């Protein structure tokens, strides 16, 4: 049966694109190296009809499929289990821009397009595709939609879901649903597009999408502010919304300890105000995009910062003088995950809580973890504008991080996720559920929500062949 299936797959996509031997680490291991599986084969179709034929062949053989884009996901959703029986279906050869509609402000693109290349394509047309995240050089738009990715511009433009107008999907039966629509209004029944977005490859395979584009701003300015507390950071967010309106395109928070790791492991990066008296506990990175001019942007930004200073929610701030200075500030922010990895193994939590409740949550969770797990170090940073924190936990200084993870990870997760639930938040803000957090979904979603999710899965994928064990437990 296996040989017959592999032969059929070779006939569909060509023998060169059915990989069974050699080093398949890039497809079989997740980005964080949390899981390593073994695939029956990695199959790389080049078109929607090829994807449909591959899915039909796998369905006929009862073989399950793990869709994969750039394999940068952080929840172990795009790699096979270790049974050696699953097909990894890689979309990376499907990377064409099918259409650009300047008047409708949309582009229709194939699922394997790299996010950064789509930003560049839009840019060449004098337009903006605003989805932006640190993995943009490797992640694909299909993966972005399947995880409903967020990133740094959500506060203004929304996450991947809000940027998508239509999808083309290959169903688990190998049928093609052409839902590629540039329509901004279409109230004709259930929203199938929104069902597939964020479903992490468990309901079908996204092969193409129609995405929204925006006018390029005339100017984009970045500021770095030191703030006296998380409550002050949230207060600054409120003032920024009020005074910049739609101009507020980025609002990131970074804890002092998170930045000290950047200073320790990347000493060439200069963190502004790191030496300020009393070591401010939090820093904020703000971005203001303006449709008029740089001067207009600067005036509005400076007025906001002056107000924040008088209000007491800001201790000091610097506005980047040039694009390269702005890039340096963003680079510091984006270096935190790498600095954290350099420091050693750690436990990540990608959580969201209503911005208004974040200060109370942080106070509660910081004290709880310090009390229950002495010596623990908290690396707290994230997209505060979206109520999204990366509330990560580093092993005690000088300790054995591997041992810490083995013995404490479950306990740390329980403490953090229980606290998140207590504050009405979500245990996964933007990284999805994957295999890694499928048990958390079972634990923290309501029974009603879970039973609707299972009913949807059963209706669309009755054979259970699409990414089994991802999102919903097997
Ligand atoms: P993959 O990792 O290949 O797959 C992710 C999931 O989508 C899997 O379940 C897979 O089965 C499914 N899938 C992939 N393609 C398809 C398809 N065409 N059809 C159906 N299912 C599919 N995420 C954020 O949201 N915000 C961030 O700021 C952010 N920053 C990151 C920074 C770094 C350094 C890294 C490594 C990751 C970051 N991520 C972030 C996570 C990751 O980049 C996103 O989840 C991204 O959207 C995944 O895209 P991908 O193409 O790599 O998908």
């Amino acid at each position: 049966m296996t040989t017959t299936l592999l032969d059929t797959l070779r006939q569909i996509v060509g023998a060169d694109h059915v990989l069974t031997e050699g080093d398949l680490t890039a497809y079989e291991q997740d980005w964080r190296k949390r899981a390593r599986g073994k695939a029956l084969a990695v199959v790389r179709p080049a078109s929607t009809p090829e994807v449909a034929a591959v899915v039909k062949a796998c369905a006929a053989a009862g073989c399950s499929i793990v869709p994969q884009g750039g394999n940068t996901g952080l929840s172990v959703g795009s790699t096979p289990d270790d049974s050696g029986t699953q097909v990894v279906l890689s979309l990376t050869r499907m990377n064409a821009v099918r259409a650009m509609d300047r008047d409708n402000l949309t582009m229709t693109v194939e699922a394997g397009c790299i996010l950064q290349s789509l930003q560049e394509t839009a840019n060449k047309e004098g337009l903006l595709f605003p989805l932006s995240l640190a993995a943009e050089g490797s992640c694909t738009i299909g993966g972005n939609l399947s995880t409903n990715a967020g990133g740094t511009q959500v506060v203004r433009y929304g996450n991947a879901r809000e940027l998508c107008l239509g999808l083309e999907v290959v169903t688990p039966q190998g049928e093609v649903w052409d839902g590629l629509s540039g329509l901004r209004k279409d109230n004709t029944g259930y929203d199938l597009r929104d069902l597939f977005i964020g479903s992490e490859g468990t309901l079908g395979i996204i092969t193409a999408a129609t995405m929204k584009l925006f006018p390029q701003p005339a100017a984009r300015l970045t500021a770095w502010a030191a703030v006296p507390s998380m409550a002050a950071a949230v207060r600054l967010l409120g003032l920024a919304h009020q005074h910049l309106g739609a101009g507020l395109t980025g609002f990131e928070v970074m804890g002092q300890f998170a930045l000290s790791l950047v200073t320790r492991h990347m000493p060439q990066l200069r963190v502004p105000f790191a030496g300020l008296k009393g070591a401010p506990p939090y820093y904020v990175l703000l971005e203001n995009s303006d449709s008029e001019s740089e001067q207009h942007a600067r005036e509005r930004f400076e007025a906001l910062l002056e107000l924040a200073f008088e209000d007491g929610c800001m201790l000091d701030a610097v506005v980047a003088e040039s694009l390269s200075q702005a890039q340096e500030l963003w680079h510091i922010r984006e270096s935190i995950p790498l600095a954290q990895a350099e420091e050693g193994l750690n436990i990540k939590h990608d959580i969201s809580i209503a911005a208004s409740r974040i200060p109370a949550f942080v106070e509660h969770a910081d004290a709880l973890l310090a009390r229950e797990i002495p010596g623990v170090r908290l690396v707290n940073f994230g997209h505060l504008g979206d109520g999204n924190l990366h509330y990560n936990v580093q092993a005690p200084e000088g300790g054995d991080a591997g041992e810490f993870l083995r013995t404490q990870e479950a306990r740390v997760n329980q403490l953090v996720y229980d606290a998140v639930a207590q504050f009405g938040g979500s245990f996964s803000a933007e990284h999805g559920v994957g295999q890694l957090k499928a048990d958390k979904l079972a634990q923290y979603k309501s029974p009603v929500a879970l039973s609707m999710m299972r009913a949807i899965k059963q209706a669309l994928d009755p054979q259970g062949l699409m990414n089994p064990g991802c999102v919903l437990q097997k």
Side-chain angles (χ1 to χ4, degrees), residues 14-177:
D16 287 352
H17 299 295
V18 179
L19 315 179
T20 54
E21 283 166 6
D23 184 6
L24 298 180
T25 311
Y27 301 96
E28 292 179 333
Q29 181 168 269
D30 78 303
W31 192 84
R32 286 180 65 203
K33 301 187 175 58
R34 295 288 308 244
R36 170 82 207 237
K38 174 85 194 97
L40 171 67
V42 176
V43 182
R44 301 172 4 101
S47 66
T48 303
E50 284 187 10
V51 174
V54 167
V55 172
K56 271 193 181 140
C58 288
C63 172
S64 57
I65 294 176
V66 180
Q68 191 180 86
N71 196 16
T72 67
L74 298 176
S75 299
V76 190
S78 50
T79 48
D81 63 20
D82 56 10
S83 65
T85 62
Q86 298 185 313
V87 159
V88 171
L89 195 153
S90 167
L91 278 297
T92 48
R93 287 179 71 217
M94 289 188 60
N95 57 11
V97 174
R98 289 191 190 164
M100 176 67 70
D101 186 340
R102 291 183 55 89
D103 291 339
N104 197 41
L105 285 174
T106 53
M107 61 179 170
T108 297
V109 301
E110 291 186 340
C113 289
I114 301 289
L115 174 55
Q116 191 174 335
S117 77
L118 294 183
Q119 296 164 348
E120 288 164 3
T121 302
N123 218 4
K124 275 190 209 131
E125 297 287 326
L127 294 168
L128 173 75
F129 181 56
L131 188 65
S132 177
L133 43 122
E136 63 201 21
S138 320
C139 63
T140 62
I141 192 69
N144 300 147
L145 287 162
S146 301
T147 57
N148 189 23
T152 56
Q153 303 279 296
V154 176
V155 67
R156 162 70 178 89
Y157 298 102
N159 46 24
R161 184 188 303 283
E162 285 158 88
L163 295 171
C164 179
L165 291 174
L167 289 181
E168 178 187 82
V169 172
V170 171
T171 69
Q173 292 71 39
E175 289 169 328
V176 180
W177 171 53

Side-chain angles (χ1 to χ4, degrees), residues 361-437:
F361 164 81
V362 169
E363 196 179 329
H364 171 78
D366 284 6
L368 182 72
L369 286 164
R371 189 173 67 237
E372 296 292 324
I373 310 192
V376 87
R377 297 177 298 163
L378 299 172
V379 183
N380 189 2
F381 64 101
H383 316 296
L384 185 62
D386 321 326
N388 178 190
L389 292 181
H390 299 309
Y391 190 79
N392 299 340
V393 174
Q394 203 88 33
E397 180 102 52
D400 178 343
E403 177 65 10
F404 176 76
L405 250 68
R406 267 188 302 282
T407 56
Q408 300 291 341
E409 185 167 12
R411 172 113 181 92
V412 168
N413 285 343
Q414 169 114 29
L415 289 169
V416 172
Y417 292 140
D418 281 357
V420 169
Q422 194 183 326
F423 280 80
S426 165
F427 67 85
S428 181
E430 60 174 12
H431 294 164
V433 177
Q435 299 168 31
L436 197 64
K437 298 180 198 162

